[in-house]
Amino acid sequence: MGYSDDFGATWVGRNQGLPGADTEPPYDGGSMTACAAPVTSVVLDPRSPVASRTLFAALWEHGVYRSVDGGLSWESRSIGLGVPGVNLRACRLELHPDGTLFCLITGKMRDSALMAEGVGLYRSADQGGSWSKLTGALDLRWLTDFTVDPRDSRIVYFGACDDTRGLAEGGLFGTRDGGQSWTRLLRRSSR
C-alpha cells in the first residue's frame, strides 16, 4: 500500500503485516506491488488521534486489515468475514459515524457458476474484531455495492445483480432494522 504526505508527489510503501509484504520486493518508487493482494477500499477513522490514525483496508481474497499507527503496520481483522480459503473477496468498506464498520464480500465463480459461500454484507461493532452477516437470510450470489444511512446504521441499502442460475434476484434491497428483514425496493430501473 502506498503513502504520500506531499499530495502525491512522492510515495513510500506501508505494507508491514499485509499479505505478501514479507516475500515481495520492497517498494522502489516505481511500482505499487509490495502487497500481494489488491487493496480495494480504505477508510480512515476520523475519531482516531491525528498522530496515530486508525485505518481499515479491504484486500481482495484476504478480507479486512487494520492499522492503528497511520498505516505503518497492519493486522488481519477478518474473523467471521466471508469464508476463509474459499471466498474473502472484500470489495468495499464503510465506517459509519457511530463506529460500525461494514464490508461487502462479492461473488466468486466456481465451475462456471457464482457460488454462495461467503457472499454478503457484513457488520462489525468492534473495529473488525468480529463480523456478523447482515444478508444471511438472502440467497444472493452477486452483491455489487451498498450504502448506509449516515444518521442510523440500521438503515442499509445494497444492490445485487442476477447471477448465473437465471433467477431474477437482482435489484435494490433495503433494511430498516439492521438486517433482520430485507425488502427488494426495485427490480429494474425505470429507464
Side-chain angles (χ1 to χ4, degrees):
M1 185 169 318
Y3 171 82
S4 175
D5 60 6
D6 58 8
F7 303 103
T10 60
W11 292 86
V12 295
R14 290 198 170 176
N15 301 312
Q16 183 180 348
L18 292 177
D22 298 332
T23 59
E24 297 290 321
Y27 178 72
D28 63 5
S31 68
M32 301 296 279
T33 60
C35 177
V39 177
T40 58
S41 186
V42 177
V43 295
L44 176 141
D45 186 344
R47 300 167 302 168
S48 60
V50 173
S52 57
R53 287 296 199 187
T54 296
L55 303 167
F56 297 93
L59 278 74
W60 191 253
E61 286 292 11
H62 292 277
V64 173
Y65 282 73
R66 180 183 74 170
S67 172
V68 293
D69 56 12
L72 292 173
S73 62
W74 296 86
E75 63 178 344
S76 177
R77 302 293 280 185
S78 300
I79 295 173
L81 187 63
V83 178
V86 178
N87 184 8
L88 266 176
R89 289 190 165 186
C91 64
R92 196 160 96 64
L93 290 172
E94 186 172 322
L95 180 63
H96 192 270
D98 71 7
T100 305
L101 189 61
F102 293 86
C103 181
L104 187 134
I105 303 291
T106 194
K108 182 176 181 178
M109 294 292 283
R110 179 176 58 205
D111 299 327
S112 301
L114 285 163
M115 58 190 209
E117 293 87 353
V119 177
L121 182 59
Y122 292 79
R123 170 179 53 216
S124 174
D126 58 2
Q127 295 203 335
S130 61
W131 294 88
S132 60
K133 189 174 180 181
L134 294 180
T135 55
L138 302 173
D139 182 22
L140 300 174
R141 310 286 173 95
W142 193 2
L143 278 64
T144 57
D145 203 357
F146 72 95
T147 191
V148 182
D149 187 312
R151 297 173 306 270
D152 186 347
S153 64
R154 296 172 302 155
I155 301 173
V156 182
Y157 302 94
F158 74 85
C161 290
D162 292 347
D163 78 354
T164 54
R165 298 177 294 172
L167 302 176
E169 61 187 27
L172 175 66
F173 293 79
T175 183
R176 302 187 69 77
D177 57 13
Q180 297 296 314
S181 61
W182 290 93
T183 302
R184 182 161 53 181
L185 303 170
L186 187 64
R187 166 68 184 137
R188 296 185 180 274
S189 128
S190 59
R191 299 185 106 174

